[in-house]
Amino acid sequence: MKRGHADLPLHYGTVPPWLAQRMSHLGGAIVEAIVIEYGRTALLQKLSDPFWFQSLGCVLGMDWHSSGITTSVMNALKKAINVRSAELGVYICGGRGKASRQTPTELLAVANRTGLNGAELVTASRLSAKVDNTAIQDGFQLYLHSFVVTVEGEWAVIQQGMNPNEKMARRYHWMSENVKSFTEEPHSYIYGKNQGLILNLTDKDAQPLKTGILDLTKENPDKLMREISLIMPRHHEVKAKDVNLKRLGAALALAHETNVQDIESLLLLEGVGPRTVQSLTLVSEVIHGSPSRFSDPARFSFAHGGKDGHPFPVPLTIYDETIEIFDKAVHLSSLGEKDKSDALKNLSKIAQEMERGFTPNNNFDAIIQKERDESYLYKGKTVFGDAKKPDKPKGNIQLNLFD
């Protein structure tokens, strides 16, 4: 089973209401689209993939590299999904701090409504937390525990630990279909930077957990966890090295260099401006992209920027138009009218086709500058305030990453 480590710099503070509300609306539309198109199991598979989860946080406008993505995304999804759980068949329990301690109570309530085995769900919740907090002694203490369960009884766990001395966080991902044993390699991924030897009693080469954890255990582990690495840097700005320029460039080329009305499959998007098509393309890929497409989560911050202003302020006008378009498409799709959702799906497909043969140039910084210069046109906003019109326009900079 794949496992991984990556660092998430600790970010404190709260998400401003103007962003939290939009994150909930768009996040809910994304989840509903996935459930309609691919099913609830596919949703859990995506949530248990740390690369996809980070990409989702970026497309929703959060700080692209920080620990805050975990808390904010799960809060947004819980608010959006739980009011429609009976319809979607998905329930989100737990959360950060005090909310995490309510997980057993919430799971039992879900079991009463659905007929699921509440005792088994509570046991799964408690053991996943115990394993990550005690069985894996990696210096991170859990402070967030979110449990996502479907009416079929499948579940995913997203939880995060903090190491205040290192000012880093580690996120852990579980999925029920991958868990054959809570004491032998249960995770889908562990998301954090390798800091050397870790006491990991869930390693398949380790003996069962020590008495007092799961009433088992006899030996210490003697091998490092096999790992994949996605190390999120500490720097706030998005740099060219953080992004797959070929993939980003294809999305920009589709949005800004193609006459949308000339593409038959996109006729239903007639009247939508290039900047909105850029956002729609990246959101479409979050819904429809294959797992290999999320190796560079920072790319998805080019949909709606970031609340801290990196790579650019959140364009509220564009964000709202994206929400409106996806809300309508999802609603029509739920009624059996899939033309509009198919058109949005084709955006990501066409962008991928455009990648073939494209060679990125060195215009990356200019593209970010153009987004910042024009941010005021789209009611750009950060936690520091509204975007201002630049004193000295930089001239006409083409959003082109290709020679």
Side-chain angles (χ1 to χ4, degrees):
M1 186 181 299
K2 291 181 179 179
R3 322 194 80 187
H5 295 98
D7 273 345
L8 291 169
L10 277 174
H11 278 200
Y12 298 94
T14 59
V15 180
W18 56 263
L19 180 58
Q21 294 168 2
R22 289 175 170 85
M23 288 180 65
S24 186
H25 288 149
L26 183 56
I30 289 172
V31 166
E32 186 174 358
I34 293 170
V35 170
I36 291 173
E37 184 76 20
Y38 302 107
R40 287 181 282 269
T41 298
L43 172 65
L44 297 184
Q45 289 170 339
K46 289 179 181 295
L47 288 171
S48 66
D49 180 346
F51 293 84
W52 183 86
F53 191 95
Q54 199 76 11
S55 300
L56 174 63
C58 288
V59 87
L60 294 180
M62 275 299 296
D63 304 335
W64 66 280
H65 69 309
S66 80
S67 63
I69 276 183
T70 312
T71 302
S72 59
V73 168
M74 293 313 302
N75 282 345
L77 295 186
K78 187 174 184 179
K79 291 177 181 177
I81 299 307
N82 283 2
V83 295
R84 304 184 59 199
S85 290
E87 176 186 349
L88 295 175
V90 180
Y91 300 80
I92 300 180
C93 303
R96 178 176 179 172
K98 292 181 180 179
S100 68
R101 295 190 285 275
Q102 295 301 313
T103 307
T105 300
E106 293 177 1
L107 286 173
L108 291 175
V110 169
N112 287 335
R113 291 195 293 270
T114 61
L116 295 173
N117 189 320
E120 287 186 358
L121 294 176
V122 171
T123 297
S125 169
R126 286 174 171 165
L127 285 178
S128 63
K130 181 67 75 171
V131 166
D132 286 341
N133 209 43
T134 308
I136 299 180
Q137 296 181 20
D138 54 6
F140 293 83
Q141 292 297 304
L142 293 187
Y143 66 93
L144 179 147
H145 174 84
S146 292
F147 196 102
V148 186
V149 61
T150 69
V151 290
E152 290 82 13
E154 293 183 308
W155 51 263
V157 171
I158 299 95
Q159 51 195 7
Q160 189 156 286
M162 177 191 302
N163 186 328
N165 294 328
E166 298 294 330
K167 296 183 179 180
M168 301 301 295
R170 174 166 292 165
R171 190 168 67 230
Y172 307 85
H173 293 255
W174 298 61
M175 184 175 176
S176 57
E177 72 171 8
N178 294 331
V179 178
K180 309 304 180 186
S181 166
F182 277 94
T183 62
E184 184 173 308
E185 297 195 339
H187 303 89
S188 296
Y189 292 94
I190 300 175
Y191 195 49
K193 182 181 179 181
N194 183 6
Q195 300 186 38
L197 289 171
I198 295 173
L199 176 60
N200 176 21
L201 297 181
T202 71
D203 190 286
K204 73 174 184 179
D205 295 315
Q207 294 298 315
L209 297 175
K210 291 185 177 179
T211 306
I213 300 177
L214 297 177
D215 296 325
L216 295 168
T217 149
K218 303 233 172 154
E219 297 180 9
N220 290 325
D222 57 3
K223 293 186 178 180
L224 282 170
M225 297 194 308
R226 295 188 305 277
E227 63 180 63
I228 58 171
S229 295
L230 175 60
I231 301 174
M232 303 304 288
R234 291 180 182 269
H235 60 261
H236 286 247
E237 66 274 22
V238 178
K239 300 181 180 180
K241 65 180 181 180
D242 301 317
V243 174
N244 183 318
L245 296 179
K246 193 170 187 178
R247 291 175 177 173
L248 176 62
L252 298 181
L254 171 61
H256 299 275
E257 299 180 13
T258 303
N259 187 338
V260 175
Q261 286 77 10
D262 290 341
I263 305 176
E264 182 177 358
S265 62
L266 299 182
L267 287 177
L268 292 174
L269 299 179
E270 185 175 357
V272 175
R275 183 57 186 80
T276 302
V277 172
Q278 176 181 323
S279 294
L280 291 173
T281 301
L282 292 168
V283 175
S284 174
E285 186 164 349
V286 165
I287 297 172
H288 302 291
S290 61
S292 64
R293 302 287 300 179
F294 303 104
S295 58
D296 60 331
R299 172 166 52 98
F300 294 91
S301 64
F302 282 79
H304 298 121
K307 70 178 180 66
D308 59 352
H310 295 289
F312 45 81
V314 177
L316 299 187
T317 302
I318 302 300
Y319 207 138
D320 290 343
E321 189 169 1
T322 302
I323 291 171
E324 181 181 357
I325 291 171
F326 270 96
D327 269 346
K328 184 175 182 179
V330 169
H331 176 68
L332 292 174
S333 183
S334 68
L335 298 177
E337 301 177 25
K338 299 191 65 177
D339 288 348
K340 202 169 189 67
S341 62
D342 285 345
L344 292 169
K345 182 178 182 179
N346 285 335
L347 278 172
S348 60
K349 290 183 177 180
I350 295 171
Q352 290 180 41
E353 288 294 322
M354 294 182 70
E355 290 176 21
R356 299 181 182 181
F358 284 177
T359 302
N361 57 33
N362 60 357
N363 283 349
F364 181 78
D365 291 339
I367 288 171
I368 292 179
Q369 189 60 55
K370 179 178 175 65
E371 288 276 6
R372 290 176 176 173
D373 288 347
E374 297 183 350
S375 182
Y376 75 99
L377 297 173
Y378 309 118
K379 296 184 180 179
K381 196 177 188 70
T382 71
V383 293
F384 309 109
D386 297 337
K388 305 298 183 183
K389 183 177 181 179
D391 294 332
K392 297 180 179 180
K394 303 294 189 301
N396 184 22
I397 303 173
Q398 294 297 317
L399 282 177
N400 185 352
L401 274 176
F402 304 98
D403 293 324

